[in-house]
Amino acid sequence: LVSGENNPTLDAGVFLRAGLGDYVWNDINANGQQDGFEPGTNGIVARLYRDTDDDGVAEPGGDDGAFLATTNTYNNGVGDGFYSFTNLIPGRYFVEFVAPVGMVFSPADAVGDAADSDVNALGVSPVVTLSSGQYDPTWDAGIYVPSAIMLDKSPDLQLVTAGSNATFVITVTNTGLTTLTNVFVRDPAGVACERLLGTLAPDEVAV
């Protein structure tokens, strides 16, 4: 500055760092809600992305590029299944989770954000806008082992004479990875085809 000069253009902007989290749990009944009997799950990979193209759409590995940071869920001293990303510049972010082999993600938005799963079937959350100083702990994910069952009725076709009975065999197989309970088979063809099979372990077959 020279004598008598005033420069009013030297300004500074300040902001507070932001963050988000915070929970992944084993959604045993696959209802998308964080029920009290369902435990948090440690060791789940969480990846943080910036909404690079600022279009409000989560596109991991696409227009939004590679993830900015990664972490695993852990016990935070209160319970299992927690994660967090902190020290973030305010802006738009989203999270991608990696489900263990054999597990899938729960239905999203079953109840309020603080008590449900917020990710889609691929484990990707919506884009969230973090303001200066904000920490948003409502981005959670439920995971579960899907159950599956296969029914086979044979033979497909048989010839019977008038007044005689037709005999079929119904085979039930648990093709999933979890034990099924209270398995009950009913064929609408007749009351005689009703049967309570009870419990079926993975790969177990009942006739």
Side-chain angles (χ1 to χ4, degrees), residues 119-144:
V119 300
N120 62 23
L122 299 177
V124 180
S125 78
V127 173
V128 55
T129 300
L130 299 176
S131 58
S132 176
Q134 180 184 8
Y135 182 79
D136 187 343
T138 64
W139 297 100
D140 307 327
I143 55 176
Y144 67 94

Side-chain angles (χ1 to χ4, degrees), residues 73-91:
T73 54
Y74 64 98
N75 186 300
N76 67 352
V78 176
D80 294 329
F82 289 90
Y83 79 96
S84 65
F85 293 104
T86 57
N87 202 33
L88 304 178
I89 296 173

Side-chain angles (χ1 to χ4, degrees), residues 96-202:
E96 176 187 39
F97 299 93
V98 180
V101 174
M103 302 190 79
V104 297
F105 291 99
S106 302
D109 302 324
V111 289
D113 280 343
D116 66 6
S117 185
D118 305 295
V119 300
N120 62 23
L122 299 177
V124 180
S125 78
V127 173
V128 55
T129 300
L130 299 176
S131 58
S132 176
Q134 180 184 8
Y135 182 79
D136 187 343
T138 64
W139 297 100
D140 307 327
I143 55 176
Y144 67 94
V145 178
S147 59
I149 194 167
M150 182 176 68
L151 294 174
D152 178 72
K153 181 178 179 180
S154 60
D156 293 331
L157 179 68
Q158 59 180 292
L159 298 176
V160 295
T161 59
S164 61
N165 294 326
T167 301
F168 295 91
V169 175
I170 298 177
T171 303
V172 183
T173 306
N174 180 357
T175 58
L177 300 176
T178 57
T179 297
L180 303 176
T181 59
N182 298 318
V183 178
F184 184 80
V185 177
R186 173 181 293 158
D187 189 331
V191 177
C193 294
E194 294 184 351
R195 183 182 174 191
L196 176 63
L197 299 178
T199 301
L200 281 180

Side-chain angles (χ1 to χ4, degrees), residues 45-69:
V45 175
R47 298 168 178 159
L48 177 71
Y49 291 80
R50 186 82 183 250
D51 182 18
T52 305
D53 57 3
D54 204 33
D55 64 352
V57 179
E59 300 160 300
D63 290 345
D64 294 324
F67 55 84
L68 299 178

